[in-house]
């Protein structure tokens, strides 16, 4: 059996604190189960709670649920017959900001210009840009919530919100979250449903999905 210390050190760094003994026992049992110990797989895990993100730790990452919402609502549209993905105008304005791949805007892939009419990327470039952007947006959320206790699902919902709006630092939902008013924060998502001054059905659906994830 290999040393479990690197794994425990990594998880400890991710949640920003040490472990309770019950958590050590739970992790040990989960590893035993993964390594083929049948009795370990029978352990009751109903008591396990979602870990809280309590510090601005640079290694925080968006969870699977957050990535799934972003991919679902951003899509990877405008796939051409030659396999390349091309940029498209903002649905609210009909022009700027132009978007490509998984909702990427701003600088082109190589940084030599900006995304606009005629910009094309490969699928691999779209996927790699998403990974880089997720790191950046997650850091923005960490900074904005200022160390307030935050579950992974709350964090994921706020990253998706920020990825779409860029407004995590100024949004009322962030201030309410910091104060611990989670119900109030959840209700704030629905207010961000407009683009170009118009309510868009896609944004209504996205905000509802983010609010549901935040509340979970």
């Amino acid at each position: 059996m290999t040393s479990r210390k690197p794994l425990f050190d990594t998880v400890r760094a991710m949640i920003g604190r040490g472990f309770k003994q019950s958590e050590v026992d739970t992790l040990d049992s989960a590893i035993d189960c993964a390594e083929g110990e049948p009795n370990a797989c029978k352990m009751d895990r109903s008591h396990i709670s979602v870990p809280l993100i309590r510090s601005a730790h640079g290694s925080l990452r968006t969870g699977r649920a957050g990535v799934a919402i972003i991919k679902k609502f951003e899509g990877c549209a405008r796939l051409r017959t030659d396999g390349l993905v091309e940029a498209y105008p903002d649905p609210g304005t009909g022009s700027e900001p132009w978007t490509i791949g998984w909702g990427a805007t701003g600088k082109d892939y190589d940084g030599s210009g900006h995304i606009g009419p005629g910009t094309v990327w490969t699928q691999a470039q779209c996927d790699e840009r998403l990974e880089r952007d997720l790191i950046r947006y997650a850091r923005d959320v960490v900074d904005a919530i200022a160390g307030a206790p935050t579950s992974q699902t709350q964090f994921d919902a706020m990253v998706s919100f920020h990825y779409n709006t860029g407004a995590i630092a100024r949004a009322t939902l962030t201030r309410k979250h910091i104060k611990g008013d989670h119900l109030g924060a959840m209700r704030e998502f629905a207010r961000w449903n407009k683009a170009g001054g118009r309510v868009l059905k896609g944004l209504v659906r996205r905000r509802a999905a983010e609010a549901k994830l935040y509340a979970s």
Side-chain angles (χ1 to χ4, degrees), residues 129-160:
R129 174 63 176 266
L130 174 62
E131 292 181 6
R132 284 192 281 135
D133 284 347
L134 282 174
I135 294 172
R136 176 164 56 90
Y137 283 108
R139 287 173 178 166
D140 288 347
V141 173
V142 169
D143 291 341
I145 61 179
T150 305
S151 72
Q152 183 66 57
T153 53
Q154 290 171 337
F155 185 75
D156 286 357
M158 288 189 285
V159 171
S160 175

Side-chain angles (χ1 to χ4, degrees), residues 177-198:
H177 175 81
I178 292 172
K179 292 179 180 178
D181 181 8
H182 296 155
L183 179 60
M186 180 194 71
R187 290 171 175 167
E188 286 292 317
F189 282 90
R191 296 181 59 189
W192 295 80
N193 61 2
K194 298 182 180 69
R198 298 187 295 118

Side-chain angles (χ1 to χ4, degrees), residues 20 29-30 57 78 115 153 155 159 172 178 191:
K20 300 175 183 177
S29 295
H57 193 280
R78 298 294 177 93
I115 298 165
T153 53
F155 185 75
V159 171
T172 301
I178 292 172
R191 296 181 59 189

Side-chain angles (χ1 to χ4, degrees), residues 16-76:
R17 61 173 175 82
F19 293 112
K20 300 175 183 177
Q21 185 56 49
S22 61
E23 293 171 331
V24 173
D25 295 340
T26 298
L27 283 171
D28 272 331
S29 295
I31 296 170
D32 288 340
C33 177
E35 292 181 343
E37 293 288 342
N39 291 334
C41 298
K42 299 176 182 179
M43 182 177 178
D44 179 14
R45 293 181 174 82
S46 61
H47 66 285
I48 300 174
S49 61
V50 177
L52 295 182
I53 300 166
R54 295 185 181 274
S55 61
H57 193 280
S59 65
L60 285 176
R61 296 181 65 87
T62 309
R64 292 181 180 178
V67 175
I69 281 187
I70 290 170
K71 283 191 169 184
K72 176 182 178 180
F73 287 99
E74 296 293 348
C76 198

